[in-house]
Amino acid sequence: QVQLVESGGGLVQPGGSLRVSCAASGSVFRPNVMGWYRQVPGNQRELVATITNGGGMYYADSVIGRFTISRDNAKNTIHLQMNSLERSDTAVYYCFIGSSRWSPSSWGQGTQVTVSS
């Protein structure tokens, strides 16, 4: 069993920046993919960004050039730096770990990101 604990998030004005982090503990398997989905009430979860333990990255088209994902393998921790935030980025952001970006096996509790003036 892998436990994921998220931190960061909050309220920011349009054009601002936020960073969310996620630390994995327990039986962390390798190879793995860690990353973030986000969800707005009433909608399906949307894949945002992922990173493998080898450093391979994926970004949704809507965040390319604005978001940067990174990881510290020694600490089993990932970070998502979000710049130039838009109102449409408002959502609950969920960290995950899995064997692929489309097969999450564990989820974090979610952290709210609100972009509003």
Side-chain angles (χ1 to χ4, degrees), residues 17-30:
S17 298
L18 278 176
R19 189 172 91 151
V20 292
S21 299
C22 175
S25 62
S27 302
V28 180
F29 53 90
R30 292 193 181 186

Side-chain angles (χ1 to χ4, degrees), residues 39-88:
Q39 187 171 27
V40 175
N43 290 1
Q44 289 187 334
R45 286 189 185 182
E46 173 192 20
L47 183 61
V48 178
T50 67
I51 186 166
T52 69
N53 54 278
M57 291 174 279
Y58 166 88
Y59 295 96
D61 288 346
S62 60
V63 307
I64 290 174
R66 301 188 298 121
F67 290 11
T68 302
I69 192 168
S70 60
R71 74 184 284 165
D72 182 338
N73 282 329
K75 297 180 179 179
N76 289 319
T77 299
I78 63 169
H79 309 283
L80 184 67
Q81 177 66 41
M82 302 180 287
N83 299 329
S84 302
L85 282 161
E86 304 169 351
R87 288 183 173 83
S88 57

